[in-house]
Coordinates of all heavy atoms in Angstrom, one line a residue:
V8 N -3.0 -7.8 -15.2 CA -2.8 -6.5 -15.7 C -4.0 -6.1 -16.6 O -4.9 -7.0 -16.9 CB -1.6 -6.4 -16.6 CG1 -0.3 -6.7 -15.8 CG2 -1.7 -7.4 -17.8
S9 N -4.1 -4.8 -16.9 CA -5.1 -4.4 -17.9 C -4.5 -3.5 -19.0 O -5.3 -3.2 -19.9 CB -6.2 -3.6 -17.2 OG -6.9 -4.4 -16.2
G10 N -3.3 -3.0 -18.8 CA -2.8 -2.0 -19.7 C -1.4 -2.0 -20.0 O -0.8 -3.0 -20.3
R11 N -0.7 -0.8 -19.6 CA 0.7 -0.6 -19.9 C 1.6 -1.6 -19.3 O 2.5 -2.1 -20.0 CB 0.9 0.8 -19.4 CG 2.3 1.4 -19.5 CD 2.4 2.8 -18.9 NE 1.9 2.8 -17.5 CZ 1.8 3.9 -16.8 NH1 2.0 5.1 -17.4 NH2 1.4 3.9 -15.6
G12 N 1.4 -1.9 -18.0 CA 2.2 -2.9 -17.4 C 3.6 -2.5 -16.9 O 4.5 -3.3 -16.8
S13 N 3.8 -1.2 -16.5 CA 5.1 -0.8 -16.0 C 5.4 -1.5 -14.7 O 6.6 -1.8 -14.4 CB 5.2 0.7 -16.0 OG 4.5 1.2 -14.9
N14 N 4.4 -1.7 -13.8 CA 4.6 -2.4 -12.6 C 5.0 -3.8 -12.8 O 6.0 -4.3 -12.1 CB 3.4 -2.3 -11.7 CG 3.4 -1.0 -10.8 OD1 4.2 -0.8 -9.9 ND2 2.5 -0.1 -11.2
F15 N 4.4 -4.5 -13.7 CA 4.8 -5.8 -14.1 C 6.3 -5.9 -14.6 O 7.0 -6.7 -14.2 CB 3.8 -6.4 -15.2 CG 4.5 -7.3 -16.2 CD1 5.2 -8.4 -15.9 CD2 4.4 -6.9 -17.6 CE1 5.9 -9.2 -16.8 CE2 5.0 -7.7 -18.5 CZ 5.8 -8.8 -18.2
E16 N 6.6 -4.9 -15.4 CA 8.0 -4.8 -15.9 C 9.0 -4.6 -14.8 O 10.1 -5.2 -14.8 CB 8.1 -3.7 -17.0 CG 7.5 -4.0 -18.3 CD 7.8 -2.9 -19.3 OE1 9.0 -2.7 -19.7 OE2 6.9 -2.3 -19.7
A43 N 1.0 -4.7 -21.9 CA 1.7 -5.7 -21.0 C 1.8 -7.1 -21.6 O 2.7 -7.8 -21.3 CB 1.0 -5.7 -19.7
L85 N -2.0 -8.0 -8.5 CA -2.7 -7.1 -9.4 C -1.8 -5.9 -9.7 O -1.3 -5.3 -8.8 CB -4.0 -6.6 -8.8 CG -4.9 -7.7 -8.2 CD1 -6.2 -7.0 -7.7 CD2 -5.2 -8.8 -9.1
A86 N -1.5 -5.7 -11.0 CA -0.6 -4.6 -11.3 C -1.3 -3.8 -12.4 O -1.1 -4.0 -13.6 CB 0.7 -5.2 -11.8
G87 N -2.1 -2.8 -12.0 CA -2.9 -2.0 -12.9 C -4.0 -2.9 -13.5 O -4.4 -2.7 -14.7
F88 N -4.6 -3.8 -12.7 CA -5.7 -4.6 -13.1 C -7.0 -3.9 -12.7 O -7.2 -3.6 -11.5 CB -5.6 -6.0 -12.4 CG -6.7 -6.9 -12.8 CD1 -6.7 -7.5 -14.1 CD2 -7.7 -7.3 -11.9 CE1 -7.7 -8.4 -14.4 CE2 -8.7 -8.2 -12.2 CZ -8.7 -8.7 -13.5
M89 N -7.7 -3.4 -13.7 CA -8.8 -2.5 -13.5 C -10.2 -3.1 -13.5 O -11.2 -2.6 -14.0 CB -8.8 -1.4 -14.6 CG -7.4 -0.7 -14.6 SD -6.8 -0.1 -13.0 CE -7.0 1.6 -13.2
R90 N -10.3 -4.3 -12.8 CA -11.6 -4.9 -12.6 C -11.7 -5.4 -11.2 O -10.7 -5.7 -10.6 CB -11.8 -6.2 -13.5 CG -12.5 -5.8 -14.8 CD -13.4 -6.8 -15.3 NE -14.5 -7.2 -14.4 CZ -15.6 -7.8 -15.0 NH1 -15.7 -8.0 -16.3 NH2 -16.6 -8.2 -14.2
N106 N -2.5 -6.0 -4.3 CA -2.8 -4.9 -5.3 C -1.9 -3.7 -5.0 O -1.5 -3.5 -3.8 CB -4.3 -4.5 -5.2 CG -4.6 -3.4 -6.2 OD1 -4.2 -3.5 -7.4 ND2 -5.3 -2.4 -5.8
I107 N -1.6 -3.0 -6.1 CA -0.9 -1.7 -5.9 C -1.8 -0.6 -6.3 O -2.5 -0.7 -7.4 CB 0.5 -1.6 -6.6 CG1 1.2 -0.3 -6.3 CG2 0.3 -1.8 -8.1 CD1 2.6 -0.4 -5.9
H108 N -1.9 0.4 -5.5 CA -2.9 1.5 -5.7 C -2.2 2.8 -5.6 O -1.4 3.0 -4.6 CB -4.0 1.4 -4.7 CG -5.1 2.4 -4.9 ND1 -6.0 2.3 -5.8 CD2 -5.3 3.6 -4.2 CE1 -6.8 3.4 -5.8 NE2 -6.4 4.2 -4.8
P109 N -2.4 3.8 -6.5 CA -1.6 5.0 -6.5 C -2.2 6.1 -5.7 O -2.3 7.3 -6.1 CB -1.7 5.4 -8.0 CG -3.0 4.9 -8.5 CD -3.3 3.6 -7.7
S110 N -2.4 5.8 -4.4 CA -2.7 6.8 -3.4 C -2.3 6.3 -2.0 O -2.1 5.1 -1.9 CB -4.2 7.2 -3.4 OG -5.0 6.3 -2.7
P116 N -9.6 5.9 -2.6 CA -9.8 4.6 -3.3 C -10.4 4.9 -4.7 O -10.9 6.0 -5.0 CB -10.7 3.9 -2.4 CG -11.5 4.9 -1.7 CD -10.6 6.1 -1.6
G117 N -10.5 3.8 -5.5 CA -11.2 3.9 -6.8 C -10.4 4.4 -7.9 O -9.2 4.0 -8.0
L118 N -11.0 5.2 -8.8 CA -10.4 5.6 -10.0 C -9.9 7.1 -10.1 O -10.4 7.8 -9.2 CB -11.3 5.3 -11.2 CG -11.7 3.9 -11.4 CD1 -12.8 3.8 -12.5 CD2 -10.5 3.0 -11.8
H119 N -9.0 7.4 -11.0 CA -8.6 8.8 -11.2 C -8.1 9.4 -9.9 O -8.4 10.5 -9.6 CB -9.7 9.7 -11.8 CG -10.4 9.0 -13.0 ND1 -9.7 8.7 -14.1 CD2 -11.6 8.6 -13.2 CE1 -10.5 8.1 -15.0 NE2 -11.7 8.0 -14.4
V120 N -7.3 8.6 -9.2 CA -7.0 9.0 -7.8 C -6.0 10.1 -7.7 O -6.0 10.9 -6.7 CB -6.6 7.8 -7.0 CG1 -7.7 6.8 -7.0 CG2 -5.3 7.2 -7.5
Q121 N -5.1 10.2 -8.7 CA -4.1 11.3 -8.7 C -4.9 12.7 -8.8 O -4.6 13.6 -8.2 CB -3.0 11.2 -9.8 CG -2.2 9.9 -9.6 CD -2.7 8.7 -10.3 OE1 -3.9 8.7 -10.8 NE2 -1.9 7.7 -10.5
C134 N 1.6 5.8 -2.7 CA 1.1 4.5 -3.2 C 1.0 3.5 -2.1 O 1.7 3.7 -1.1 CB 2.0 4.0 -4.4 SG 3.7 4.0 -4.0
T135 N 0.2 2.5 -2.3 CA -0.1 1.5 -1.3 C -0.1 0.2 -1.9 O -0.7 0.0 -2.9 CB -1.5 1.8 -0.7 OG1 -1.5 3.1 -0.1 CG2 -1.8 0.8 0.4
H137 N -1.5 -3.5 -0.9 CA -2.4 -4.0 0.2 C -2.9 -5.4 -0.3 O -3.0 -5.7 -1.5 CB -3.6 -3.1 0.4 CG -4.5 -2.8 -0.8 ND1 -5.6 -3.5 -1.0 CD2 -4.3 -2.0 -1.8 CE1 -6.2 -3.1 -2.1 NE2 -5.4 -2.2 -2.6
L143 N -13.6 -2.1 -1.8 CA -12.8 -1.4 -2.9 C -11.6 -0.8 -2.3 O -11.6 0.2 -1.5 CB -13.7 -0.2 -3.4 CG -13.1 0.7 -4.5 CD1 -12.7 -0.1 -5.7 CD2 -14.0 1.8 -4.9
D144 N -10.4 -1.4 -2.5 CA -9.1 -0.9 -2.0 C -9.1 -0.9 -0.5 O -8.5 0.1 0.1 CB -8.8 0.4 -2.7 CG -8.8 0.4 -4.2 OD1 -8.3 -0.6 -4.7 OD2 -9.2 1.3 -4.8
A166 N 1.2 11.5 -11.1 CA 1.2 10.0 -11.4 C 2.6 9.5 -11.7 O 2.9 8.4 -11.2 CB 0.2 9.7 -12.5
I169 N 4.6 9.3 -8.5 CA 4.1 8.1 -7.7 C 4.6 6.8 -8.3 O 4.9 5.9 -7.5 CB 2.6 8.2 -7.5 CG1 2.2 9.4 -6.7 CG2 2.0 6.9 -6.9 CD1 0.7 9.7 -6.7
L170 N 4.5 6.7 -9.6 CA 4.9 5.4 -10.3 C 6.3 5.0 -9.9 O 6.5 3.8 -9.8 CB 4.7 5.6 -11.8 CG 4.5 4.3 -12.6 CD1 3.3 3.5 -12.2 CD2 4.5 4.7 -14.1
E173 N 6.0 3.3 -6.8 CA 5.2 2.0 -7.0 C 6.2 0.9 -7.4 O 6.2 -0.2 -6.9 CB 4.2 2.1 -8.1 CG 3.0 3.0 -7.7 CD 1.9 3.0 -8.8 OE1 1.6 2.0 -9.3 OE2 1.4 4.1 -9.0
H174 N 7.1 1.3 -8.4 CA 8.0 0.3 -8.9 C 9.0 -0.2 -7.8 O 9.4 -1.3 -7.9 CB 8.8 0.9 -10.1 CG 7.9 1.1 -11.3 ND1 8.3 1.9 -12.3 CD2 6.6 0.8 -11.5 CE1 7.3 2.0 -13.2 NE2 6.3 1.3 -12.7
Ligands
GAR301 C1 -0.6 2.2 -11.6 O1 -0.4 3.5 -11.3 C2 -1.4 1.4 -10.6 O2 -1.1 1.8 -9.3 C3 -2.8 1.8 -11.0 O3 -2.8 1.7 -12.4 C4 -1.5 2.0 -12.9 C5 -1.0 0.9 -13.8 O4 0.2 1.2 -14.4 N1 -3.7 0.9 -10.4 C6 -4.9 1.2 -10.0 O5 -5.3 2.4 -10.1 C7 -5.7 0.1 -9.4 N2 -6.9 0.6 -8.8 P1 1.0 0.1 -15.1 O6 0.1 -0.7 -16.0 O7 2.1 0.8 -15.9 O8 1.6 -0.8 -14.0

Side-chain angles (χ1 to χ4, degrees):
V8 298
S9 298
R11 177 179 57 185
S13 72
N14 274 290
F15 143 56
E16 285 185 65
L85 310 185
F88 182 70
M89 303 311 249
R90 264 214 67 155
N106 180 44
I107 183 134
H108 182 79
S110 76
L118 296 175
H119 311 299
V120 301
Q121 297 91 349
C134 50
T135 303
H137 63 95
L143 178 63
D144 303 321
I169 292 173
L170 201 61
E173 293 186 38
H174 295 168

